[in-house]
DNA sequence: CGACGATTTGAATAGGATCAATGGGAGTGG
DNA sequence: CCACTCCCATTGATCCTATTCAAATCGTCG
């Protein structure tokens, strides 16, 4: 890993308060690796060797069962993933693949567990991160259990709209087929869900979305502070 | 709290390795409270005042949106709940109600955060507990996203069957209406799912279930190590 | 140009929910 | 002890949501 990159990593919130010795020990045996798009990084049954930190690119965490496959969540830079698995020392529980060419910092799980014990600041931040991830999955679980497909899409659009500046338009950050999987539906059904939202002022042109009737859209979406990410 | 009860609590795995001073500080301001059945303990929007530990009884964590309600998970003694919320110092994110008369140890969330910083053994165990809860929600999320209602029921029966001794029979530990909510379906649909499983050797008599064709049941259930709890 | 994959649309089907009605305990009060 | 009530569970009928299968369009890339 280059020195400049090491400094970038060092500046990440989760590492920023660590003692230098502990940080160096944590990164011993770590490496920053480049992956092309559409590469499987690990499978849910693999034993957790590394805590991953996505520096650049995009990663999908997904799961399979029967013959079905579903997106668990999308990871965007800069963020850790599979922290829980790295702490528990078992299987990853989720599979991962790159959606774009990506750079990923891979830290031996063993080092993470050691650092948790040695460095109080790191332990504190890792715990908060983990608790936050927990609430993230809880939100996703509520989302799919308590809402219909159209409601999930409507709320997704509202969240993206806010994140992208609340200016009446937004751009889908992923392919529609991936979005469908994130929202727990088939690509065909996503197409139809967009059609259903047309009377609510949702205009679709490829990845470009315009929201013309925010009030109507919110009426059908019924957004909830405790489901939709801030 | 009585001395005998305090000792029971002290012996719980999550506390067993704590220094006595830290344990005493953690329990300062805590109380063990009795609740009758069907009482709401807190709502998802409430600020997290306490880490809860269910000593006796049964508790349901649930969530609401639109006009719908869904069970997130059931808590059985002895187990902590809302650990993540207690660490983050925000809203509970889930609501809770007793399903039976219950005794619950309530520890001020502030104390938990302090203990995490002061006591390494407690911090270590709390982190593992949290990571384990995280994987629990991930499993639930996979379960509902990748399986049909009948498959969820079939796998639920297989898990309960193992937990209860793998002797060809099991007893449902909750009312069917609650089970339906846990499995993400309506009570009517649960009834029909049981009917669907009849040709697979599932005989239902109230809460008593007999499994006569384990192989057939497994064929339709397609159990997965990474979805179904051990 | 031609192949491939993403997206959309249509038609048919399956999975679940809703509404309504009935039967069956458990608990209550007379 | 019995009648009554209430709630759970089951069953039927119907409706709605979402998936599947098929086909057409479109854009990208070699």
């Amino acid at each position: 890993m280059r020195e400049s990159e090491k400094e970038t990593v060092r500046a990440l919130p989760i590492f920023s308060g660590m003692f230098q010795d502990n940080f160096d020990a944590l990164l011993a045996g770590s490496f920053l690796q480049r992956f092309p798009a559409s590469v499987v990084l690990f499978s849910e049954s693999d034993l957790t060797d590394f805590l991953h930190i996505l520096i650049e690119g995009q990663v999908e965490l997904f799961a399979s069962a029967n013959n079905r496959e579903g997106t668990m969540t999308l990871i965007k830079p800069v963020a850790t993933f599979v922290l829980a698995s790295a702490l528990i020392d078992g299987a990853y529980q989720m599979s991962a693949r790159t959606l774009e060419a990506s750079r990923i910092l891979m830290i031996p799980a063993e080092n993470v567990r050691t650092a948790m014990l040695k460095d109080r600041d790191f332990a504190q931040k890792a715990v908060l991160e983990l608790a936050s991830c927990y609430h993230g999955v809880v939100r996703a679980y509520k989302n799919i259990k308590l809402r219909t497909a159209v409601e999930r899409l409507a709320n997704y659009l509202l969240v993206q709209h806010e994140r992208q500046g609340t200016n009446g338009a937004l751009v889908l950050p992923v392919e529609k087929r991936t979005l469908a999987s994130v929202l727990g539906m088939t690509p065909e059904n996503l197409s139809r869900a967009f059609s259903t939202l047309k009377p609510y002022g949702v205009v679709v042109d490829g990845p470009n979305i315009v929201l013309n009737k925010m009030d109507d859209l919110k009426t059908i979406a019924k957004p909830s502070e405790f489901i939709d990410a801030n």
Side-chain angles (χ1 to χ4, degrees), chain A residues 85-145:
Chain A
S85 306
L87 293 174
I88 282 184
D89 190 23
Y92 278 108
Q93 307 283 335
M94 293 185 279
S95 307
R97 74 164 68 91
T98 55
L99 292 181
E100 312 166 357
S102 302
R103 290 195 306 149
I104 299 175
L105 175 62
M106 298 171 74
I107 304 177
E110 177 65 35
N111 293 15
V112 177
R113 293 190 289 271
T114 303
M116 286 282 296
L117 292 174
K118 282 200 175 173
D119 196 290
R120 188 164 296 179
D121 187 88
F122 176 69
Q124 171 75 356
K125 281 174 176 155
V127 164
L128 288 181
E129 166 110 6
L130 184 55
S132 165
C133 288
Y134 175 83
H135 280 166
V137 195
V138 166
R139 284 166 190 268
Y141 188 50
K142 290 188 200 178
N143 195 33
I144 201 161
K145 208 162 176 181

Side-chain angles (χ1 to χ4, degrees), chain A residues 58-85:
Chain A
Q58 189 167 206
V59 168
E60 175 191 15
L61 299 186
F62 65 100
S64 310
N66 300 358
N67 256 330
R68 285 156 252 177
E69 185 183 297
T71 302
M72 306 300 289
T73 190
L74 299 181
I75 309 291
K76 294 178 184 269
V78 178
T80 65
F81 56 103
V82 298
L83 175 58
S85 306

Side-chain angles (χ1 to χ4, degrees), chain A residues 2-230:
Chain A
R2 292 178 227 132
E3 265 315 304
S4 67
E5 289 171 336
K6 204 163 183 174
E7 279 168 30
T8 307
V9 171
R10 182 71 167 109
L12 295 177
I14 199 174
F15 301 130
S16 59
M18 288 183 83
F19 285 109
Q20 189 61 41
D21 287 356
N22 295 334
F23 179 73
D24 291 340
L26 179 66
L27 285 212
S30 304
F31 46 95
L32 185 66
Q33 192 162 349
R34 287 172 190 275
F35 297 94
S38 301
V39 166
V40 171
L41 303 172
F42 50 80
S43 169
E44 51 193 329
S45 58
D46 294 344
L47 289 181
T48 305
D49 295 321
F50 300 101
L51 171 67
H52 293 60
I53 302 183
L54 178 63
I55 304 295
E56 189 187 325
Q58 189 167 206
V59 168
E60 175 191 15
L61 299 186
F62 65 100
S64 310
N66 300 358
N67 256 330
R68 285 156 252 177
E69 185 183 297
T71 302
M72 306 300 289
T73 190
L74 299 181
I75 309 291
K76 294 178 184 269
V78 178
T80 65
F81 56 103
V82 298
L83 175 58
S85 306
L87 293 174
I88 282 184
D89 190 23
Y92 278 108
Q93 307 283 335
M94 293 185 279
S95 307
R97 74 164 68 91
T98 55
L99 292 181
E100 312 166 357
S102 302
R103 290 195 306 149
I104 299 175
L105 175 62
M106 298 171 74
I107 304 177
E110 177 65 35
N111 293 15
V112 177
R113 293 190 289 271
T114 303
M116 286 282 296
L117 292 174
K118 282 200 175 173
D119 196 290
R120 188 164 296 179
D121 187 88
F122 176 69
Q124 171 75 356
K125 281 174 176 155
V127 164
L128 288 181
E129 166 110 6
L130 184 55
S132 165
C133 288
Y134 175 83
H135 280 166
V137 195
V138 166
R139 284 166 190 268
Y141 188 50
K142 290 188 200 178
N143 195 33
I144 201 161
K145 208 162 176 181
L146 298 174
R147 285 174 170 163
T148 66
V150 170
E151 288 169 348
R152 294 197 295 275
L153 174 59
N155 282 293
Y156 178 87
L157 295 177
L158 289 172
V159 168
Q160 287 298 322
H161 180 241
E162 283 231 2
R163 285 193 190 162
Q164 297 181 24
T166 323
N167 62 354
L170 62 99
V171 181
L172 298 180
V174 290
E175 282 188 353
K176 283 177 182 159
R177 66 190 313 279
T178 305
L179 177 57
S181 181
V182 169
L183 295 177
M185 56 183 124
T186 59
E188 295 97 319
N189 203 30
L190 176 62
S191 256
R192 294 183 176 110
F194 271 121
S195 301
T196 304
L197 290 180
K198 198 177 289 182
Y200 298 88
V202 176
V203 179
V204 181
D205 175 24
N208 302 302
I209 315 282
V210 177
L211 307 181
N212 287 321
K213 305 180 186 173
M214 291 301 299
D215 291 348
D216 290 5
L217 188 56
K218 281 179 186 163
T219 302
I220 196 181
K222 279 157 278 178
S224 159
E225 181 188 348
F226 300 106
I227 299 182
D228 308 300
N230 312 320

